[in-house]
Amino acid sequence: LFDYFGTFIEKFNSLKLFKDFNLLLCTKTEQNYYSLLVCENNKAFISLNFTLSDIKEIIASLPENMTFSPDEDYEMQKQTLKKQEESLSKLAFKIPDIKKPLMIIYDNLLCSIPSNVMEVNNVFISLKTKVLSLPSLDFLVKCQNIEIKNNVSLWCPLENGDMPLNYAFSGVQSYLEQESILYETKMIPEKTLLSDISIIIAHGGKDIAHKQYFMANGSFGNDDIYYTDITKCIPKPKLVILFICHSGKTTKNLLYETSQSMQDLLFQRGAQAVIAPKWPLHTSIPGLWLPIFIEAMKNGKTSFESFSTAQDFIYQKQPNAGAWACLHYFGNPNIKFTMGE
């Protein structure tokens, strides 16, 4: 184990591109789960966090959904948040306080954990520092500074009159038109999303990580329209934003002992980064979040810095973790718009 961690520390310290990040690696032996935190000045902290049986019980007890409703009054929201925090309190990692953003590499069991709401010293970690997840160390090693065009497109299937999708789209429509962002609302898009930033608004179910489909209706019935291959909609993904419920979920692939998720599929097709919700995304969030994210990118911030800016904005509007912590960042943090675009 220590030889493995030593090799890992050596590799990470050679990546000068990520000198402003901390890195957390979670891995297991036959009986226990350990974490390795590599932070500034090459300091490393190795901790025994859980036994293998403990972590399986914790994962089984985590809430499938972080409920959020802006219609609740403030006291009701505080009670909801308290219940959510209590259910997540077992997911506490023994790592020191850190200030730099944290990149996390999980194994194929811990990959299901919503990293934004890991607890460190009784506080959600993403309230202390920003967090992103990486599929593997190999992915991290291959990451580079990426420049993309200010070229955005969005697809939301609206022709069947689905009310939640219409409401979510109405929140972003004026901004799309103001910025001349290409969008399409047909049930089957006439053109694939070939922009450098591709966005989909649709429905997703709890089993999306396994089955990897999304829907145009929220009824989950026989008359629904299922889209079974996201790469047909986004054949050449770069930076992908999925306003699709549960689409950030990751689960263990029982056949191959690997993780399985919508973002893994997109990474296999060349995506550099994916932003997606770990649980149901409230229809009010896209309209609040997207303009802040795009404007931050236009102002020269990286994709991850822009994500963090938008996340902070949602937190100020709705301190309920079901709202601000829902969208998670996966992949390369160093994507920027080309200057002058």
Side-chain angles (χ1 to χ4, degrees):
L1 178 66
F2 289 97
D3 288 342
Y4 172 69
F5 278 161
T7 301
F8 187 89
I9 293 169
E10 185 178 343
K11 279 189 177 182
F12 180 64
N13 286 337
S14 68
L15 301 175
K16 304 302 182 185
L17 183 63
F18 298 103
K19 60 183 177 61
D20 293 326
F21 286 83
N22 296 311
L23 183 64
L24 181 68
L25 170 69
C26 301
T27 191
K28 64 179 181 291
T29 60
E30 289 185 359
Q31 295 182 331
N32 297 315
Y33 255 95
Y34 290 85
S35 68
L36 167 70
L37 176 69
V38 185
C39 50
E40 51 263 38
N41 302 321
N42 296 338
K43 291 181 180 178
F45 301 87
I46 299 175
S47 304
L48 169 62
N49 281 285
F50 315 99
T51 65
L52 192 56
S53 58
D54 284 345
I55 196 62
K56 288 181 178 179
E57 288 182 12
I58 291 171
I59 290 174
S61 67
L62 290 176
E64 287 192 344
N65 297 336
M66 295 281 284
T67 56
F68 161 68
S69 173
D71 298 325
E72 290 180 341
D73 63 33
Y74 184 66
E75 288 303 316
M76 285 291 291
Q77 287 196 36
K78 285 201 299 185
Q79 292 177 25
T80 300
L81 180 59
K82 183 178 179 181
K83 290 178 182 178
Q84 291 167 354
E85 289 178 342
E86 288 173 353
S87 65
L88 290 162
S89 62
K90 296 178 183 178
L91 188 59
F93 278 68
K94 301 183 182 78
I95 61 176
D97 283 340
I98 53 177
K99 293 182 180 179
K100 291 183 178 180
L102 182 65
M103 300 187 294
I104 303 176
I105 300 175
Y106 294 121
D107 76 335
N108 58 18
L109 180 59
L110 283 179
C111 64
S112 60
I113 289 174
S115 53
N116 284 347
V117 289
M118 283 171 38
E119 284 206 1
V120 176
N121 299 326
N122 299 315
V123 178
F124 287 150
I125 191 168
S126 49
L127 291 179
K128 307 186 76 163
T129 188
K130 298 307 176 185
V131 182
L132 66 93
S133 298
L134 294 162
S136 67
L137 178 59
D138 288 340
F139 183 96
L140 173 64
V141 169
K142 294 176 183 176
C143 283
Q144 301 291 328
N145 287 325
I146 302 293
E147 287 194 351
I148 61 174
K149 295 179 180 179
N150 181 359
N151 182 10
V152 185
S153 60
L154 179 147
W155 172 51
C156 179
L158 296 179
E159 287 182 327
N160 67 346
D162 183 88
M163 287 304 296
L165 293 187
N166 271 276
Y167 186 79
F169 178 77
S170 69
V172 300
Q173 185 175 8
S174 61
Y175 180 74
L176 300 178
E177 293 174 350
Q178 170 191 315
E179 297 297 313
S180 300
I181 292 173
L182 176 68
Y183 67 85
E184 192 168 351
T185 58
K186 292 183 179 296
M187 299 305 290
I188 305 296
E190 292 183 349
K191 298 180 180 179
T192 54
L193 298 175
L194 295 174
S195 301
D196 285 1
I197 298 181
S198 301
I199 307 168
I200 296 179
I201 302 176
H203 286 290
K206 294 178 183 179
D207 56 357
I208 194 170
H210 277 300
K211 297 185 178 179
Q212 298 188 346
Y213 62 76
F214 57 100
M215 295 155 292
N217 290 6
S219 61
F220 300 88
N222 294 330
D223 59 342
D224 208 344
I225 297 177
Y226 290 78
Y227 304 93
T228 57
D229 188 354
I230 193 170
T231 60
K232 288 183 179 179
C233 303
I234 312 175
K236 297 179 180 179
K238 291 184 180 178
L239 173 55
V240 179
I241 301 171
L242 301 177
F243 294 130
I244 301 174
C245 293
H246 302 286
S247 57
K249 274 190 171 181
T250 306
T251 189
K252 182 178 179 181
N253 187 314
L254 299 178
L255 289 178
Y256 300 105
E257 291 294 312
T258 59
S259 64
Q260 184 175 358
S261 66
M262 192 79 80
Q263 64 267 20
D264 285 336
L265 180 62
L266 289 164
F267 287 140
Q268 290 166 16
R269 298 299 178 92
Q272 288 293 312
V274 179
I275 297 170
K278 281 279 191 177
W279 49 80
L281 182 73
H282 195 272
T283 52
S284 64
I285 299 300
L288 295 170
W289 186 94
L290 185 61
I292 302 299
F293 175 81
I294 297 295
E295 291 303 311
M297 290 280 291
K298 288 166 61 177
N299 289 332
K301 291 187 176 183
T302 66
S303 50
F304 182 63
E305 290 169 341
S306 301
F307 168 85
S308 302
T309 298
Q311 187 181 59
D312 288 342
F313 178 77
I314 299 298
Y315 178 77
Q316 296 300 319
K317 293 286 185 180
Q318 291 291 348
N320 185 317
W324 64 263
C326 187
L327 289 168
H328 283 60
Y329 192 104
F330 306 90
N332 189 343
N334 293 319
I335 303 172
K336 277 189 171 186
F337 280 154
T338 302
M339 295 302 294
E341 291 286 343

